[in-house]
């Protein structure tokens, strides 16, 4: 899904530099600045995951946020049972040793997939993930 926050956060400084009229006059005109700006936004949009698009784990993992335990890391209150960061629940494609693939849900904790940590009976790895779909909000007939 296109992350509007990422798109908007990338805008201010880069656009101010590109749109600065004095700077553009030195670089070959104001139109070049607008074109540079347009291409920058197109590049950012292309890099955003689209609805229903799988993201390979080698490309990136889901964004993690600090846990309530993060402030204890590095203190005498820290324990191996605690975690620093965790992502929200996402859909994952897992691949078993024999090549069979399946879809499950999971999240990352400190950069590791929880589904891989929990399973000991069958060997598999998470190969791709995508954001959870939003539930249907229409009326039930």
């Amino acid at each position: 899904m296109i992350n509007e926050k990422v798109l908007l956060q990338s805008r201010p400084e880069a656009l101010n530099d590109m749109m600065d009229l004095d700077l553009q006059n030195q670089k070959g005109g104001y139109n070049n600045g607008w074109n540079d700006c347009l291409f920058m936004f197109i590049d950012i949009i292309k890099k955003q995951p689209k609805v229903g698009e799988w993201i390979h784990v080698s490309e990136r993992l889901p964004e993690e946020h600090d846990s309530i335990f993060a402030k204890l890391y590095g203190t005498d209150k820290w324990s191996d049972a605690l975690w620093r960061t965790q992502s929200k629940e996402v859909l994952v494609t897992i691949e078993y040793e024999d090549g069979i693939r399946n879809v499950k849900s999971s999240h990352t904790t400190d950069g590791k997939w929880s589904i891989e940590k929990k399973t000991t009976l069958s060997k598999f790895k998470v190969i791709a993930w995508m954001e959870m779909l939003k539930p249907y909000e229409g009326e039930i007939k």
Side-chain angles (χ1 to χ4, degrees):
M1 294 179 216
I2 291 178
N3 185 338
E4 295 86 2
K5 288 181 184 175
V6 171
L7 188 62
L8 292 173
Q9 287 171 351
S10 65
R11 178 186 172 276
E13 292 76 26
L15 283 182
N16 287 339
D17 289 346
M18 288 183 185
M19 294 298 107
D20 181 79
L21 186 55
D22 294 331
L23 183 63
Q24 291 311 316
N25 285 335
Q26 294 169 11
K27 287 185 169 183
Y30 196 67
N31 285 339
N32 287 347
W34 281 106
N35 289 337
D36 290 344
C37 173
L38 177 63
F39 291 127
M40 179 190 76
F41 273 111
I42 290 170
D43 187 49
I44 291 169
I45 290 169
K46 283 181 180 178
K47 290 178 183 176
Q48 295 297 308
K50 310 302 183 274
V51 174
E53 182 179 273
W54 288 99
I55 301 164
H56 197 278
V57 296
S58 65
E59 185 178 327
R60 67 183 172 88
L61 295 177
E63 184 178 332
E64 292 186 329
H65 57 275
D66 284 347
S67 74
I68 59 172
F69 310 117
K71 61 186 173 204
L72 302 176
Y73 185 74
T75 70
D76 60 344
K77 295 179 182 179
W78 184 256
S79 154
D80 288 340
L82 305 178
W83 59 93
R84 292 171 55 189
T85 59
Q86 190 172 54
S87 74
K88 62 184 177 181
E89 197 80 5
V90 295
L91 293 175
V92 295
T93 296
I94 59 172
E95 184 175 71
Y96 295 94
E97 286 182 309
D98 61 4
I100 292 176
R101 294 180 177 181
N102 204 344
V103 175
K104 304 274 185 188
S105 67
S106 186
H107 63 273
T108 58
T109 302
D110 294 331
K112 307 259 190 245
W113 290 103
S114 66
I115 195 169
E116 289 179 340
K117 289 181 184 179
K118 292 178 185 175
T119 307
T120 57
L121 296 177
S122 55
K123 292 187 179 182
F124 64 84
K125 62 183 176 181
V126 175
I127 58 169
W129 65 276
M130 75 163 63
E131 297 283 337
M132 286 282 197
L133 301 173
K134 293 183 179 178
Y136 176 71
E137 293 179 3
E139 290 185 32
I140 298 175
K141 296 179 182 182

